[in-house]
Amino acid sequence: MALLCVNAFSEEVNIELHKMKEGPSTRSLTIDPVVTYDANTVHIYNSDNLLENLQVTVKDLLGNVVYSNAISISYNQPYSFILNNVESGVYEIELSYGTNLFYGYFCL
């Protein structure tokens, strides 16, 4: 993985998400979240359905968890959170919903 860190000022940048796994599904719901960041604020968008208990985890490259929360996100209502007291560097975000797991990398 090659990720170039460039500080962007007040510009929302898309985080490319990769789907890690999908196990046997007990529901027919598919999700396609979009995650962006602007400075130290992360935004999660969902354009399809209400997502309840979406687990959001942000880790540094050493695997230390710097943010973790189970959230609900409504149709076209983004969920945003601020990463406080974190150093500049590369971070991984993971979104887990049922048997779906997405991950992506971003720089602060």
Side-chain angles (χ1 to χ4, degrees), residues 28-46:
S28 60
L29 182 64
T30 59
I31 65 170
D32 191 22
V34 173
V35 181
T36 64
Y37 71 101
D38 176 4
N40 65 339
T41 303
V42 177
H43 312 278
I44 303 172
Y45 299 90
N46 177 45

Side-chain angles (χ1 to χ4, degrees), residues 14-18 35 93 103-105:
N14 188 56
I15 299 173
E16 183 180 352
L17 293 179
H18 306 278
V35 181
I93 186 165
Y103 69 96
Y105 297 93

